[in-house]
Amino acid sequence: QLTMSLNSSTLLNDENTQGAKRNSECLESLLQTPSSFQDNPLQQLQLASQEVLEKAKKSGRSKCPRCNSSRMFYCYTCFVPVETVPTTEIPTVKLPLKIDIIKHPNETDGKSTAVHAKLLAPDDVTIYKYPCIPEYEEKRHEIALVFPGPNSVSVEDIVFHLQKYTKKRVCASDEDCSREPLLKQAKIEPKEEKNSNECISSSRSEGTRLKKIIFIDSTWNQTNKIITDERLQGLLQIELKTRKTCFWRHQKGKPDTYLSTIEAIYYFLVDYHQEVLKESYKGQYDNLLFFFSFMYSLIKDAKCCAGKE
């Protein structure tokens, strides 16, 4: 469910012909004045100044510095801001783990919010176009996949379940693996076994630490092809059950807990920071919604002006 158009001329493409002139006038007005939408659920975010986006909005589409394509705000194929949006004025977010985004080949580049993550956390995010994705089997004790399903677990249960993955990994490589969990073994071990047990303990401790999280960038109706790929089987699945989407292209018939890609990434990191890292959240990842919140307000205002709300 990851769709987003960055071309301001398409913001009102769902309006009927009779309202086209009025919509055009409203949008022109919006492009000249900052958003004043009062009930924006994203307004509490601690964001960097979006003045650079306001200026770019007024000047219209601009060229991508790499491919010279005409874009609005950023190039969704090169993952860079356009010429009217200086890179120095775009915030950079440091993430606590690496993120892989697997994009469906039929997902329209210009309608995807996945690019936001790459733009705002370039050192920690990699985007792959299916079926060209990595092999995860050897690292599945430190990787999880965010996707709802019957076997998915909550963020707060990640460590517990990764411990089980690590135990299976250690036992598979140790012919003398005890029937009892390693944690129940006697604290005092023979000296000759010390190094072996320390190695296992170290492996267990390291294995319970999540190092990479995977997200699927696709409409919900297209996810089956990716989620059933053998390379993703056996991975721990995480579901975000308590968050509701603000996405303007939410698919009909799907629950409002089905999030856009950038929302899923953001909310996962907030929960991970609090539930797994056990640290107080103070807006460290809010800027991941830097572009999303701006587009949300712009489109919401446009719809209000057009009389849809």
Side-chain angles (χ1 to χ4, degrees):
Q1 157 206 1
L2 313 163
T3 53
M4 185 177 98
S5 173
L6 298 175
N7 184 343
S8 61
S9 66
T10 67
L11 295 177
L12 301 172
N13 62 1
D14 292 330
E15 303 299 323
N16 56 40
T17 304
Q18 293 181 346
K21 182 177 180 180
R22 180 185 60 178
N23 295 340
S24 177
E25 292 174 349
C26 288
L27 182 57
E28 182 178 355
S29 175
L30 288 169
L31 293 176
Q32 299 302 320
T33 58
S35 171
S36 59
F37 184 54
Q38 296 300 314
D39 59 341
N40 182 350
L42 305 174
Q43 64 185 353
Q44 300 302 319
L45 296 172
Q46 299 180 42
L47 299 173
S49 172
Q50 294 178 322
E51 183 179 357
V52 62
L53 300 182
E54 290 287 355
K55 291 180 179 178
K57 179 181 69 176
K58 293 177 181 178
S59 60
R61 297 165 68 91
S62 181
K63 286 185 178 181
C64 167
R66 293 186 182 177
C67 68
N68 290 321
S69 297
S70 177
R71 301 282 190 250
M72 192 71 175
F73 302 127
Y74 56 78
C75 179
Y76 43 76
T77 52
C78 299
F79 309 139
V80 294
V82 294
E83 293 178 344
T84 55
V85 182
T87 303
T88 54
E89 296 187 43
I90 299 299
T92 300
V93 184
K94 181 61 181 174
L95 307 184
L97 38 70
K98 299 299 182 181
I99 289 178
D100 281 0
I101 299 175
I102 300 175
K103 182 179 178 298
H104 192 283
N106 294 334
E107 179 67 11
T108 304
D109 291 338
K111 295 182 178 181
S112 171
T113 63
V115 63
H116 296 183
K118 183 62 179 176
L119 280 161
L120 299 164
D123 295 336
D124 297 316
V125 175
T126 304
I127 298 179
Y128 296 96
K129 193 167 187 177
Y130 187 83
C132 299
I133 66 175
E135 297 285 349
Y136 294 109
E137 184 176 1
E138 294 299 320
K139 300 272 188 176
R140 67 178 186 174
H141 59 287
E142 58 188 32
I143 297 176
L145 169 67
V146 173
F147 194 82
N151 298 318
S152 61
V153 304
S154 64
V155 174
E156 63 188 60
D157 291 331
I158 287 177
V159 172
F160 172 75
H161 287 278
L162 284 182
Q163 283 179 339
K164 294 194 297 184
Y165 276 65
T166 304
K167 179 187 171 185
K168 292 179 182 179
R169 180 168 170 260
V170 172
C171 289
S173 61
D174 185 357
E175 295 180 357
D176 297 323
C177 184
S178 171
R179 293 180 181 178
E180 291 295 319
L182 292 172
L183 294 179
K184 292 184 179 180
Q185 291 182 357
K187 293 182 179 180
I188 301 176
E189 300 286 351
K191 291 183 178 180
E192 60 271 18
E193 296 182 7
K194 182 177 180 180
N195 291 338
S196 174
N197 288 324
E198 284 182 350
C199 180
I200 293 176
S201 177
S202 175
S203 175
R204 175 179 293 281
S205 175
E206 181 181 351
T208 58
R209 178 168 161 250
L210 186 65
K211 295 183 179 178
K212 179 176 288 187
I213 189 76
I214 302 170
F215 294 85
I216 295 176
D217 184 49
S218 168
T219 60
W220 289 104
N221 293 331
Q222 295 175 334
T223 55
N224 188 61
K225 182 177 181 179
I226 296 178
I227 197 62
T228 56
D229 189 287
E230 60 180 8
R231 290 167 291 183
L232 298 181
Q233 303 312 301
L235 291 177
L236 178 64
Q237 283 187 219
I238 311 297
E239 183 171 1
L240 306 174
K241 300 178 181 180
T242 61
R243 308 292 189 173
K244 294 184 179 181
T245 185
C246 289
F247 196 38
W248 48 90
R249 290 182 182 274
H250 183 68
Q251 295 177 42
K252 293 181 179 179
K254 302 299 180 182
D256 57 7
T257 53
Y258 279 21
L259 308 171
S260 66
T261 299
I262 195 61
E263 287 178 299
I265 292 174
Y266 169 73
Y267 287 126
F268 170 82
L269 289 171
V270 172
D271 289 346
Y272 179 80
H273 193 87
Q274 296 173 312
E275 302 293 342
V276 179
L277 299 183
K278 301 297 182 182
E279 296 179 13
S280 162
Y281 184 69
K282 300 178 180 178
Q284 290 91 330
Y285 315 120
D286 282 11
N287 274 322
L288 285 175
L289 298 179
F290 180 75
F291 290 106
F292 184 89
S293 63
F294 186 83
M295 292 299 299
Y296 173 88
S297 293
L298 179 61
I299 293 173
K300 194 75 173 178
D301 283 347
K303 288 182 177 180
C304 287
C305 185
K308 294 189 68 174
E309 294 186 11

